[in-house]
Amino acid sequence: MEIIKISDYNGSKSVLARDLHCFLESKQDFTTWIKNRIEKYGLEENSDFTLHKFMEGRVWKHEYVLSINAAKELAMVEGNEKGKQARQYFIFCEKRLKDSSILQIPQTYSEALRLAANQAEQIEIQQRQLIAQAPKALFADAVATSKKSCLIGELAKILNQNGVDIGQNRLFVWLRKNSFLCSKGEYYNQPTQRAMDMGLFEIKKTAINKPDGSILTTSTPKVTGKGQIYFINKFLNIHQLNNSQYD
């Protein structure tokens, strides 16, 4: 019995976040619920979910399409019986899909050819994905072995080395635009509270002795090892999807 609709989206099994929210019987309204979950559990757009915007009448609507893995995670962290039921349902559906593909036996010669072609196509897609993900995996391994933070300018150089065409100034603009750095006031170019809570930045305090004997304290944001992995993965995903110039 289908308790939450699972659909094909870009060749992958997916779930509408709105359907999951409805089944979980959350007391939060949908928009608050999904935004909180994305931020709190670090869900990645175009990996864990895809956001669709559309007009309904004169009002913009947002639809979030979740991967099955993301849907299982959100069901699990809901912490109630409905969440447990949803997670078990997704696991059951995945197992059934896997078993049905294993047991698929062609009945005719044309079906055998078609099945062989489909399997060859799936293998080719998987190989392309592994090749595309290789730079990210290598980078993550390199950063994971180092506990050093880096300046934002150094992060821009790392991104360039991984095929992302972006410089220090444009990276600062992007970080402000996407609410990782503050864009106004005395905290301009300092990490936002959200970015600090995610562990993406740390603040280096430096004391400078001025000629008049006073001391000037400066604050420099540095990207943590976790932040370096987070941003390289995010930019590589954007780069692979639309070759954006990040302006």
Side-chain angles (χ1 to χ4, degrees):
M1 180 180 68
E2 185 179 63
I3 63 173
I4 302 173
K5 184 175 178 59
I6 297 177
S7 305
D8 283 307
Y9 180 78
N10 287 344
S12 300
K13 297 297 181 183
S14 304
V15 175
L16 290 182
R18 200 176 298 273
D19 289 347
L20 178 60
H21 173 262
C22 180
F23 178 80
L24 294 175
E25 298 178 353
S26 172
K27 295 180 180 179
Q28 288 184 317
D29 65 273
F30 172 70
T31 301
T32 301
W33 178 83
I34 189 61
K35 288 184 176 180
N36 285 346
R37 292 299 185 269
I38 289 172
E39 181 174 341
K40 184 173 182 179
Y41 299 103
L43 299 188
E44 295 284 343
E45 187 169 0
N46 300 316
S47 175
D48 297 311
F49 71 94
T50 303
L51 175 59
H52 291 280
K53 299 179 182 179
F54 59 94
M55 286 289 290
E56 188 174 282
R58 295 185 178 182
V59 180
W60 277 104
K61 295 286 187 178
H62 297 76
E63 194 64 78
Y64 296 80
V65 181
L66 300 171
S67 70
I68 293 297
N69 283 338
K72 284 194 295 186
E73 181 176 358
L74 295 189
M76 180 176 64
V77 300
E78 194 68 21
N80 60 16
E81 185 62 28
K82 299 291 286 188
K84 180 179 179 181
Q85 291 175 12
R87 182 173 179 273
Q88 290 175 339
Y89 169 72
F90 293 137
I91 293 173
F92 169 77
C93 290
E94 283 185 313
K95 184 178 185 300
R96 186 175 61 180
L97 180 64
K98 182 179 179 180
D99 290 344
S100 65
S101 63
I102 294 174
L103 296 174
Q104 187 176 2
I105 301 174
Q107 301 299 314
T108 65
Y109 180 65
S110 61
E111 286 183 3
L113 290 177
R114 188 160 53 248
L115 178 60
N118 290 339
Q119 291 174 340
E121 183 180 3
Q122 288 299 316
I123 291 172
E124 184 179 349
I125 291 173
Q126 291 171 357
Q127 289 175 337
R128 286 202 301 265
Q129 290 175 339
L130 288 173
I131 292 172
Q133 292 170 357
K136 289 196 292 184
L138 291 173
F139 176 83
D141 288 343
V143 174
T145 60
S146 173
K147 295 183 179 179
K148 293 182 179 179
S149 299
C150 74
L151 296 171
I152 291 175
E154 293 173 321
L155 176 60
K157 293 178 182 178
I158 295 171
L159 288 166
N160 264 284
Q161 292 170 2
N162 281 267
V164 179
D165 182 19
I166 192 169
Q168 174 178 296
N169 292 341
R170 280 188 294 161
L171 180 54
F172 266 103
V173 171
W174 187 91
L175 290 169
R176 291 194 298 267
K177 182 179 178 181
N178 289 274
S179 301
F180 293 104
L181 296 180
C182 298
S183 59
K184 296 179 181 179
E186 61 178 310
Y187 295 106
Y188 183 75
N189 274 351
Q190 294 297 304
T192 60
Q193 188 61 51
R194 164 178 170 260
M196 293 294 291
D197 290 342
M198 293 173 67
L200 305 180
F201 293 93
E202 64 181 13
I203 302 295
K204 180 182 178 182
K205 297 282 188 179
T206 303
I208 301 174
N209 293 314
K210 299 176 68 176
D212 62 3
S214 62
I215 298 176
L216 174 66
T217 302
T218 63
S219 299
T220 304
K222 300 190 74 175
V223 188
T224 63
K226 178 181 178 181
Q228 293 169 52
I229 295 174
Y230 177 88
F231 288 119
I232 196 72
N233 287 341
K234 180 174 284 292
F235 273 90
L236 284 177
N237 280 332
I238 297 172
H239 182 70
Q240 291 165 4
L241 284 168
N242 54 21
N243 198 26
S244 170
Q245 294 301 306
Y246 321 107
D247 291 328

